[in-house]
Each structure stands twice: as structure tokens, then as C-alpha cells.
């Protein structure tokens, strides 16, 4: 984990309000697993004051680049979208524990379920799994077809089902509806997206290993300020809580309570 | 040029991380050598383990943040047996912050904590805005604060600092009351009560609704309070509230602080404390000052 002024090599809009940001630096060498995130100081001053947590969407160790995909929402991500190629961006990372790769073997099948801005970290995960000889199936939900991003990139790695709320893609509904219809044969499921989506997966798909990436408002993002904690499901757990930033953001289904 | 000596705290430099913003040091120990720090104020300890408030616990504000952590900590016994043991390898003085719901809780925690060889002084948090019982009431009524200070002083083996709340109308009266009750020093300020409302949900952002405001936005409030209090008490003040760089530290000294604590800025830059310590000598040289202590209270003409 380091704090580095990384060089912006790309920061472009790839879908309405969705940006793809690529930065270059030594931090890339330290990334251990897909699903880890970085904490970004989007401006040099106090507006905004706090950093913003964004998942690592893909890495290129040869060029020492990492790519982030973010949605412009409030002041922080808006400011980030205005930073240009050639600028330096102060980034702390890599942070947290990501998706485990050693829970699945070569030749087996993984299902990757993403919702909206939860889709990005699944891309590096899918690349890593594919490299290990694991078959990947992607079920990705967006509001409309226009909001979709990275469809081609995912399709290159494995079967990709795009689900939209309004039915502008082939599948209308939620990723949960799609999973029910598809009735996939798989060994491990990985997911990232809005909490209601994660809760529905936990309800219906906990019979096999299921790993969920959580989101919570953070202060320090290194485990010191206790802002992003959630309760453990196990009431006898010694600590009774986990920190999303440093124990997570990825947890095995059943480890923490999602209502947090 | 930077070393300062306060009751119980023999500091190489006047900069310490503030309570609750540095946990028990371990996390930031991954970034830099904790021996660089003047002291460490550890997270508030309570008699029993506390889980704290529901999330969201933090919300950003203009040049600041609100927090309603709710004093999450593993309890004094666990802290003595584990968190403080982990700090045995470093020689930086420890200011152990303690909190409670009632006088007995404080007394219990203070007695235990002060007996640890690793604890050099106590900091009484009588000003946490984020707990329903106790907490703030101790910090807003001078007689109650004085009574608590006396009780804790009676059982503590180490000097006691009282951390004052800015959520009062007469800060000088409060400071004098705890000084008379035997406080060895003051910490000020804790956070200011505040709230933010989410425009989409039209509800407060924090699950606790209200929270404590910290960060650069509160610095002028801290400076004003330290300026007034330092002229009216004879005990040292650890100043805090919005410190981000060496200039801020100098401003706190000019207002009357004898040391400083850095809270929110650690979240913005994990290297904030060591960076400030590194920058200070040059700043002092530019000001033609041989020792930082010479600046203390200069704004009201102490020197
Ligand atoms: C581990 C993790 C990974 C993430 N990965 C991505 C990603 O890959 N792409 C992406 O677009 N978004 C991601 N997010 C969400 C992203 O952090 C927020 O969208 C962003 O912080 C919003 O900032 P803002 O200034 O635009 O919004 P504002 O509403 O102005 O932010 C105000 C404050 O609230 C916090 N905040 C607001 N929304 C969220 C949220 N959903 N989660 C956490 N904090 C929030 C901000 O960090 C900031 O402190 C991730 C969040 C976490 C915790
Ligand atoms: C997330 C967070 C947690 C805090 N926890 C505590 C605490 O446990 N005990 C305490 O006395 N003060 C606590 N504080 C208050 C700080 O120690 C400090 O007084 C205040 O934040 C002002 O300093 P700053 O502006 O540099 O942050 C906390 C502040 C923050 C932001």
C-alpha cells in the first residue's frame, strides 16, 4: 500500500456519466488480487476534502497501468472527470481484500454477477479467472442498453448476458430474473452491485460458494476510523464486526450482515 | 527546536494524531515509523466493548466531515492486553483517551488505563457528541465536568487532560472549572454538532442523524477558543481542529496551544503528521524563531 502521484494516461467518457480512467505508476506492482480498490484525492485543495474509493477494474503490469471505471455522481466524481491526461493524481492503494481465486479449480465454472457501477471490478476478476483456465459466465445488469459498458471486453472472455431494467437489451428485468431463467451450472459465484441485489443473491444462491463485494461510506479507507463497519452474522464472533475497507470489501456470503 | 514537555508527555515534537483518527496506531504504522510522532492519542476506551452507531457513520461537508462513529472500541481490558501491547515496540508517549456513560465508568476505565506502563497521560473525553447517554452532558455543565475530573484525578496514576467540547456558550468557564478540579491539561476542541440532509432521500445522511463536524472548516472556532482559554488558565492546551499543515500548527501555537493534534487530515493524507513535523523547522527558521515554544500565546502577547 502506497500513496503515489500517478500519471493520468486516459480519462474518457465511455457511456452516459461513465468514465474510464487509466493511471500509471508503481502502485500497480503491489496489486495482489482482483476486487481491491484505491482511495483517490480528486483535487489538490479541500473541495472536496475526503478521498473517493474506486475499485480497480483492470491492470496492465507491463505498462504499469491500472484502469478505473466510475460514474459521475456528486462533487468528487465530477471533479475527477475533469482531470486530464498528463495530470498527476494522488492515489492511495492498493487497498482491501479482493475476490479469492483459490476457491475454484481449472476447468470449473464461475458466474460473475454485476449491477451497474458494480460491474467494473468483475472485469479484472474475469481476466484472472480465465487465465487460470476457469470458464466464466457474466450476468450484468444495467438500467438501459445505453448505460452498458465493457460488453465487448466481457464477451471476449466468456458468455455475457446483459440485463436491462427497461428491456432495451435482450433480457428485461433484473440479474436475479436472468439467473433464474438461465439456471446455470457453476461452482463459484462472485458479485458486486447494489446492496438489494447482493441480498437477493444471498437469499437464492448461498448453497454454493458466493463472494460479495460491499460498498460503504469511508473515512480513512485503511481501517483506522471505524466509519465503514458492519456486523458479523455470527453473534459469537470475537469482534462482532468487520471493516469494509480493510477486512473487505469482498466477503464470503454469510460472513457479514448486509443491511449495514 | 521542536521538543515540548507537557505533564506526562515528553515529546520530541508537538505533533500527535488526534483520538479516534488513528485507531491504536497499527494501520498508520504501515505507512511510517510511529517513533517520528510527538505522541499518540489513542481511540476512546470505554469500560465495556462498544459496537458504535449504525452506518452511514460519516458524511462529507464543505472543507470538513461529520462523523457519528459512536465510540466503537473493544473495551479497556482488551485494549490493555492487545492494542497497547502492540505499541510496546515504540517509545512515543501515549495519551489514552477514555469515555463513559456515567462517572463510575470513567473512574473504572481511568484507573485501569493509568496503571499501564505504556500510558503516559489520560485524556478525558467529556465531549463526544455521538453517544446518547453521558457523553456531551459531561461536557456542557461545568459542575458536572469538574466533579468527573476530580473523581478521575483521585484514581489516576498519570496526569489527566480534559478534552473540551466546543458545543458550549462559555468555554472559558468550563476550562476554569476543570482546571480548579485538578486537570493537568486541556485538549480542545472536540467536534461541533452538525447535520447534513440527502437531497435524494430528503433524510439526514448519517444513520445517527446528527454528527460531529471536524476538519479545516472548524479551525477558526478552535483558534478562537484556544485564544480565549489560554489567557485564563495556567495549564497547557493540546490544540486541535482542522490542522492540515505546518502553518496551521504555528497558528495554534500563536493562539496559545502548547502542542497539537491532527485528526481528519490523516484521512486525506496518511503521511500528514510526519510531513508536518518535517516542515516545521524550516517554517520556524523563516520566522526567526529558535524554538516553537517561543510562539506560544504570541497573538495575545504572552511573550
Ligand atoms: C470499495 C468501494 C469501491 C467502489 N468502486 C467504485 C467503482 O469502481 N466505480 C464507481 O463509480 N463507484 C465506486 N464506488 C462508489 C464511489 O466511491 C462513490 O460513487 C463516490 O465516492 C461518490 O463520490 P461523489 O463525490 O461523486 O458523491 P458525493 O455524494 O458528493 O460523495 C459524498 C461522500 O459520500 C461518499 N459516497 C457517496 N456515495 C458512495 C458510495 N456509493 N459508496 C461509498 N461512498 C460513497 C463519498 O466518498 C464522499 O465521501 C466504490 C465504493 C467503495 C466503497
Ligand atoms: C472519525 C472520527 C472519530 C473520532 N473519534 C474520537 C474519539 O473516539 N474520542 C475523542 O475524544 N475524539 C474523537 N474525535 C475527535 C478528534 O479527536 C478531534 O478532536 C476532532 O476531529 C477535531 O480535529 P480535526 O479537525 O483535526 O479532525 C474523532 C474525530 C473523527 C473525525
Amino acid at each position: 500500500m502506497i500513496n503515489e502521484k500517478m500519471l493520468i494516461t486516459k480519462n474518457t467518457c465511455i457511456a452516459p456519466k461513465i468514465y474510464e480512467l487509466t493511471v500509471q505508476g508503481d502502485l500497480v506492482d503491489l496489486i495482489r488480487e482482483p476486487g481491491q480498490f484505491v482511495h483517490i484525492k480528486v483535487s489538490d485543495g479541500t473541495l472536496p476534502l475526503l478521498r473517493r474509493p474506486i475499485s480497480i477494474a483492470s491492470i496492465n503490469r507491463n505498462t504499469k497501468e491500472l484502469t478505473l471505471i466510475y460514474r459521475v455522481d456528486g462533487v468528487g466524481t465530477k471533479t475527477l472527470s475533469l482531470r486530464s491526461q498528463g495530470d498527476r493524481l494522488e492515489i492511495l492503494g492498493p487497498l482491501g481484500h479482493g475476490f479469492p481465486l483459490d476457491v475454484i479449480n481449472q476447468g470449473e465454472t464461475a458466474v460473475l454477477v454485476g449491477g451497474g457501477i458494480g460491474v467494473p471490478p468483475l472485469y479484472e476478476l474475469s481476466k484472472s479467472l480465465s487465465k487460470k483456465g476457469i470458464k466464466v459466465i457474466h450476468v450484468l445488469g444495467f438500467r438501459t442498453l445505453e448505460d452498458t459498458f465493457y460488453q465487448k471486453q466481457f464477451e471476449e472472455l466468456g458468455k455475457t448476458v446483459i440485463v436491462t431494467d427497461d428491456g432495451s437489451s435482450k433480457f428485461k428485468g433484473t440479474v436475479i430474473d436472468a439467473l433464474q431463467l438461465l439456471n446455470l451450472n457453476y461452482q463459484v459465484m462472485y458479485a458486486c452491485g447494489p446492496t438489494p441485489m447482493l441480498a437477493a443473491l444471498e437469499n437464492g444462491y448461498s448453497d454454493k460458494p458466493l463472494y460479495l463485494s460491499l460498498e460503504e461510506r469511508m473515512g480513512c479507507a485503511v481501517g483506522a476510523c471505524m466509519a465503514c463497519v458492519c456486523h458479523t452474522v455470527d453473534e459469537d464472533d470475537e469482534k462482532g464486526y468487520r471493516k469494509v475497507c480493510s477486512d473487505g470489501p469482498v466477503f464470503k456470503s454469510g460472513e457479514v450482515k448486509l443491511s449495514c | 527546536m521542536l521538543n515540548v514537555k507537557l505533564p506526562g508527555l515528553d515529546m520530541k515534537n508537538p505533533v500527535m494524531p488526534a483520538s479516534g483518527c488513528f485507531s491504536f496506531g497499527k494501520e498508520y504504522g504501515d505507512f511510517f515509523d510511529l517513533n517520528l510522532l510527538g505522541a499518540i492519542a489513542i481511540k476512546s476506551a470505554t469500560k465495556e466493548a462498544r459496537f458504535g452507531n449504525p452506518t452511514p457513520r460519516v458524511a462529507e461537508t464543505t472543507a470538513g466531515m461529520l462523523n457519528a462513529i459512536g465510540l466503537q472500541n473493544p473495551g479497556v481490558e482488551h485494549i490493555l492486553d492487545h492494542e497497547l501491547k502492540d505499541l510496546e515496540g515504540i517509545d512515543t508517549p501515549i495519551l489514552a483517551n477514555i469515555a463513559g456513560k456515567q462517572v463510575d465508568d470513567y473512574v473504572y476505565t481511568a484507573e485501569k488505563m493509568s496503571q499501564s506502563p505504556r500510558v503516559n497521560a489520560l485524556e478525558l473525553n467529556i465531549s463526544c457528541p455521538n453517544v446518547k447517554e453521558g457523553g456531551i452532558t459531561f461536557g456542557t455543565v461545568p459542575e458536572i465536568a469538574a466533579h468527573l475530573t476530580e473523581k478521575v484525578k483521585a484514581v489516576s496514576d498519570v496526569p489527566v487532560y480534559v478534552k473540551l467540547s466546543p458545543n458550549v456558550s462559555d468555554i472559558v468557564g468550563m476550562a476554569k472549572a476543570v482546571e480548579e478540579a485538578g486537570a493537568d491539561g486541556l485538549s480542545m476542541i472536540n467536534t461541533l454538532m452538525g447535520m447534513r440532509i440527502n437531497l435524494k432521500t430528503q433524510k439526514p445522511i448519517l444513520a445517527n442523524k446528527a454528527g460531529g463536524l471536524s476538519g479545516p472548516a472548524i479551525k477558526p472556532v478552535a483558534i478562537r477558543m484556544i485564544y480565549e482559554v489560554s489567557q485564563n488558565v495556567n495549564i497547557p492546551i493540546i490544540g486541535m481542529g482542522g490542522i492540515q499543515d505546518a502553518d496551521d500548527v504555528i497558528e495554534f501555537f500563536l493562539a496559545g496551544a502548547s502542542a497539537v493534534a491532527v485528526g481528519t487530515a490523516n484521512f486525506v493524507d496518511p503521511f500528514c503528521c510526519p510531513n508536518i513535523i518535517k516542515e516545521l523547522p524550516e517554517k520556524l527558521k523563516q520566522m526567526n524563531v529558535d524554538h516553537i515554544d517561543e510562539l506560544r500565546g504570541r497573538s495575545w502577547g504572552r511573550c
Side-chain angles (χ1 to χ4, degrees):
Chain A
M1 164 173 61
I2 55 171
N3 185 40
E4 184 179 19
K5 288 220 157 96
M6 299 183 80
L7 180 71
I8 301 176
T9 54
K10 187 175 169 188
N11 191 16
T12 50
C13 189
I14 57 169
K17 291 196 163 186
I18 305 290
Y19 282 73
E20 185 187 42
L21 166 71
T22 302
V23 290
Q24 192 177 46
D26 293 335
L27 192 151
V28 175
D29 299 340
L30 303 172
I31 299 169
R32 279 176 290 108
E33 49 193 14
Q36 287 188 287
F37 68 101
V38 292
H39 212 30
I40 307 178
K41 179 113 186 68
V42 298
S43 76
D44 291 331
T46 49
L47 280 175
L49 181 68
L50 298 175
R51 291 179 181 237
R52 296 296 188 268
I54 304 285
S55 300
I56 297 166
S58 77
I59 55 175
N60 184 336
R61 294 196 194 269
N62 295 329
T63 60
K64 281 180 172 279
E65 283 177 309
L66 68 85
T67 298
L68 309 168
I69 298 168
Y70 61 93
R71 181 171 59 209
V72 172
D73 187 17
V75 59
T77 44
K78 170 94 186 120
T79 307
L80 187 58
S81 72
L82 300 173
R83 302 294 302 263
S84 29
Q85 191 182 329
D87 275 2
R88 298 251 164 201
L89 200 54
E90 203 177 307
I91 300 187
L92 179 66
L95 301 170
H97 291 87
F99 296 105
L101 300 172
D102 56 2
V103 293
I104 182 162
N105 301 313
Q106 194 178 356
E108 294 186 327
T109 302
V111 175
L112 281 57
V113 185
I117 205 59
V119 168
L122 299 180
Y123 182 56
E124 183 61 36
L125 172 64
S126 184
K127 283 202 299 174
S128 305
L129 290 168
S130 300
K131 217 182 284 165
K132 264 190 75 177
I134 289 149
K135 199 175 145 204
V136 286
I137 301 174
H138 315 104
V139 181
L140 310 176
F142 297 93
R143 261 186 338 113
T144 71
L145 192 60
E146 208 200 352
D147 296 309
T148 313
F149 54 88
Y150 266 47
Q151 181 173 355
K152 242 188 34 235
Q153 285 90 329
F154 278 104
E155 277 169 349
E156 278 166 20
L157 296 166
K159 177 174 170 160
T160 302
V161 180
I162 304 287
V163 189
T164 45
D165 293 347
D166 69 344
S168 48
S169 69
K170 236 189 277 166
F171 251 105
K172 179 182 159 88
T174 66
V175 291
I176 309 296
D177 301 331
L179 283 170
Q180 258 161 15
L181 272 169
L182 292 163
N183 195 20
L184 300 164
N185 186 11
Y186 70 96
Q187 278 70 42
V188 179
M189 185 181 282
Y190 300 94
C192 184
T195 310
M197 180 195 104
L198 301 181
L201 288 174
E202 194 159 72
N203 260 328
Y205 295 87
S206 283
D207 51 328
K208 291 187 195 162
L210 168 64
Y211 292 88
L212 309 171
S213 183
L214 269 53
E215 240 180 41
E216 189 50 77
R217 284 176 188 248
M218 293 176 177
C220 68
V222 298
C225 76
M226 309 303 270
C228 63
V229 299
C230 45
H231 283 277
T232 52
V233 172
D234 178 4
E235 309 229 312
D236 298 327
D237 181 83
E238 201 197 320
K239 278 194 299 187
Y241 69 90
R242 295 287 181 273
K243 301 178 213 171
V244 172
C245 68
S246 55
D247 298 318
V250 175
F251 295 96
K252 188 163 189 201
S253 161
E255 185 176 356
V256 296
K257 287 188 190 157
L258 287 183
S259 52
C260 64
Chain B
M1 173 174 232
L2 293 182
N3 63 308
V4 293
K5 216 174 155 114
L6 278 72
L9 304 172
D10 199 349
M11 300 165 64
K12 309 185 240 311
N13 62 67
V15 181
M16 70 179 88
S19 176
C21 301
F22 207 73
S23 195
F24 299 92
K26 190 167 128 257
E27 292 77 13
Y28 287 96
D30 288 345
F31 290 103
F32 59 86
D33 182 358
L34 300 179
N35 285 308
L36 292 170
L37 299 168
I40 299 175
I42 56 176
K43 175 75 189 167
S44 281
T46 52
K47 187 176 173 190
E48 283 105 19
R50 288 183 68 124
F51 180 78
N53 291 322
T55 56
R57 292 177 172 185
V58 292
E60 194 176 45
T61 66
T62 306
M65 69 180 280
L66 293 168
N67 89 81
I69 306 295
L71 297 180
Q72 178 161 14
N73 80 96
V76 63
E77 263 94 17
H78 193 281
I79 293 170
L80 289 169
D81 292 343
H82 298 92
E83 282 78 6
L84 281 176
K85 284 258 153 39
D86 292 345
L87 285 169
E88 270 170 11
I90 62 152
D91 60 15
T92 306
I94 304 279
L95 178 60
N97 187 298
I98 60 172
K101 284 186 205 150
Q102 41 202 353
V103 175
D104 289 350
D105 296 349
Y106 277 98
V107 169
Y108 177 91
T109 312
E111 187 168 10
K112 290 249 159 188
M113 201 58 118
S114 77
Q115 286 164 4
S116 162
R118 202 57 201 84
V119 168
N120 304 81
L122 296 182
E123 182 177 53
L124 284 191
N125 179 3
I126 57 164
S127 45
C128 185
N130 299 325
V131 283
K132 296 233 156 50
E133 306 146 81
I136 197 102
T137 54
F138 284 113
T140 47
V141 184
E143 293 74 28
I144 298 179
H147 174 70
L148 179 70
T149 307
E150 250 169 51
K151 291 276 180 198
V152 168
K153 270 299 284 180
V155 297
S156 176
D157 291 348
V158 294
V160 175
Y161 292 73
V162 180
K163 184 160 178 179
L164 301 184
S165 169
N167 303 304
V168 295
S169 49
D170 178 14
I171 191 75
V172 172
M174 179 57 96
K176 284 174 129 170
V178 298
E179 181 186 35
E180 257 164 52
D184 299 284
L186 300 171
S187 291
M188 52 196 291
I189 56 175
N190 207 321
T191 54
L192 288 143
M193 285 284 264
M195 185 186 283
R196 271 205 65 193
I197 293 167
N198 181 330
L199 297 192
K200 285 181 208 151
T201 64
Q202 309 189 354
K203 295 278 181 310
I205 294 178
L206 297 175
N208 191 53
K209 299 184 179 69
L213 181 64
S214 64
I218 72 168
K219 198 181 81 175
V221 178
I223 294 288
R224 190 272 291 182
M225 290 188 161
I226 293 166
Y227 177 88
E228 289 182 355
V229 169
S230 62
Q231 297 179 61
N232 286 285
V233 298
N234 293 307
I235 48 179
I237 297 171
I238 302 170
M240 67 199 78
I243 294 176
Q244 287 198 298
D245 57 29
D247 282 349
D248 291 336
V249 174
I250 288 167
E251 194 175 343
F252 273 79
F253 267 79
L254 292 171
S258 297
V260 296
V262 178
T264 305
N266 293 293
F267 309 157
V268 179
D269 177 7
F271 294 96
C272 183
C273 290
N275 284 346
I276 290 175
I277 294 163
K278 204 162 63 194
E279 282 169 23
L280 272 174
E282 188 54 36
K283 290 278 175 197
L284 295 181
K285 242 181 257 159
Q286 283 167 14
M287 295 175 83
N288 261 326
V289 168
D290 294 328
H291 196 283
I292 191 158
D293 235 9
E294 293 170 26
L295 295 174
R296 182 157 45 91
R298 255 197 202 176
S299 63
W300 44 264
R302 175 184 161 269
C303 306

